[in-house]
Amino acid sequence: MRSFSFVRSFSFAQYCGATLLLLLLAFAFLQPLFYPMDIGFQDLNNILSDPDEFSWFGTDHLGRDMFARLASAIRLSFSLSLLSVACALFAGVFLGILAGLFSGWLDKTLSFLCDMIMALPGLLLILLFASLSPGSFWTLYLGISLVIWVEFFRVTRAITSTLATSHELESSRLMGMPWAYCIKRHLLPRLLPMIATLSAFSISNAILALATLGFVSVGLRPPTAELGLMMTELFPYYYQAPLIFLQPVIAVFLLVLSLQLLSGRIK
């Protein structure tokens, strides 16, 4: 009875996370359709204004529309994080399966490479990549992907190494089944739940990393609408317009919360 209650509450948390994430993405990606406002348009006669019928979320310190800029920032953060995690997932899972199935020098080489990457804090490694070309989309993408693929590799390698000596996998090989069939039949059903959980968790970490780099003015550059950069720009006006400053903070919080719920990290 206790186990059933746990599963039910866990599924409800994931349902809440998925619903919240869909609402945020609908707000971000549908905004150009129902609220076609230029995110770079400045109205210096209307700075730090409260929400009204013309500017639904108010304006920032340069008179730019906050509704449009928040939607654009969420689109950018989520899209970049999703792209980075997708590439890291493909590389990590592919190399993890190879290392787990065949071990030997390939396993030792890849494990040593992971140890080298893990020797540096992930955010510091992304910071080093970002410093190579400040404000570049691709350096951030490469830095985040390089950090995240390690987790996919280690989880995939651990599960694959255990299954590589299992009776069902050995039976399939003795019957002459190709590796592609063995991976599809025996490995993927075990890997997919872990990969799904790790993917949601990794996207939330990537969003936090982007926001952190933007907040310390190392990530993307103005006038790009990015959540961390918006926090930095609006921070001096916190006492004058706290509601405007809190909007990108709340956006990051809701994005990360929805992904944490979806990953099952919060029960």
Side-chain angles (χ1 to χ4, degrees), residues 5 22 77 104 106 117 130 138 239:
S5 177
L22 286 175
S77 294
L106 178 62
I117 295 175
W138 294 107
Y239 290 105

Side-chain angles (χ1 to χ4, degrees), residues 92 114 118 147-156 198 202:
C114 287
M118 294 294 290
V147 171
I148 292 177
W149 84 274
V150 174
E151 295 299 327
F152 286 101
F153 171 80
R154 297 177 75 175
V155 170
T156 303
L198 190 57
S202 297

Side-chain angles (χ1 to χ4, degrees), residues 37-43 60 62-65 69:
M37 183 69 69
D38 182 5
I39 65 171
F41 176 75
Q42 300 181 12
D43 183 4
D60 66 2
L62 295 176
R64 297 173 297 190
D65 188 87
R69 288 183 66 79

Side-chain angles (χ1 to χ4, degrees), residues 9-233:
S9 63
F10 179 79
S11 300
F12 177 74
Q14 288 183 317
Y15 172 79
C16 291
T19 302
L20 179 58
L21 181 61
L22 286 175
L23 290 174
L24 289 170
L25 295 181
F27 158 72
F29 286 94
L30 296 180
Q31 172 268 323
L33 300 179
F34 68 88
Y35 193 85
M37 183 69 69
D38 182 5
I39 65 171
F41 176 75
Q42 300 181 12
D43 183 4
L44 298 180
N45 294 320
N46 188 32
I47 62 174
L48 299 175
S49 67
D50 295 327
D52 55 31
E53 65 273 17
F54 301 106
S55 180
W56 293 359
F57 282 6
T59 59
D60 66 2
H61 61 297
L62 295 176
R64 297 173 297 190
D65 188 87
M66 284 296 296
F67 190 97
R69 288 183 66 79
L70 270 181
S72 177
I74 292 174
R75 288 197 303 270
L76 175 63
S77 294
F78 184 81
S79 299
L80 178 56
S81 299
L82 183 63
L83 177 61
S84 300
V85 170
C87 293
L89 185 154
F90 176 79
V93 171
F94 177 73
L95 295 176
I97 290 176
L98 291 180
L101 287 178
F102 304 110
S103 62
W105 65 268
L106 178 62
D107 184 20
K108 294 179 180 178
T109 302
L110 291 173
S111 297
F112 178 72
L113 178 61
C114 287
D115 291 338
M116 290 179 59
I117 295 175
M118 294 294 290
L120 283 175
L123 190 59
L124 178 59
L125 191 58
I126 299 173
L127 183 62
L128 292 175
F129 268 82
S131 64
L132 296 177
S133 179
S136 172
F137 171 92
W138 294 107
T139 53
L140 289 175
Y141 155 74
L142 289 174
I144 294 173
S145 298
L146 183 62
V147 171
I148 292 177
W149 84 274
V150 174
E151 295 299 327
F152 286 101
F153 171 80
R154 297 177 75 175
V155 170
T156 303
R157 176 187 172 275
I159 296 175
T160 305
S161 298
T162 302
L163 293 176
T165 57
S166 64
H167 296 301
E168 56 266 28
L169 186 59
E170 291 181 351
S171 299
S172 295
R173 290 298 297 164
L174 290 173
M175 293 174 62
M177 297 299 180
W179 280 113
Y181 171 83
C182 295
I183 292 173
K184 179 181 178 181
R185 177 67 176 84
H186 302 294
L187 289 180
L188 289 184
R190 306 281 185 91
L191 288 173
L192 286 179
M194 296 297 298
I195 290 174
T197 298
L198 190 57
S199 297
F201 184 59
S202 297
I203 293 174
S204 67
N205 281 343
I207 290 173
L208 284 175
L210 282 173
T212 302
L213 293 174
F215 188 75
V216 298
S217 301
V218 178
L220 300 173
R221 296 296 193 214
T224 305
E226 193 274 322
L227 294 171
L229 185 59
M230 292 173 67
M231 296 181 204
T232 301
E233 292 177 332

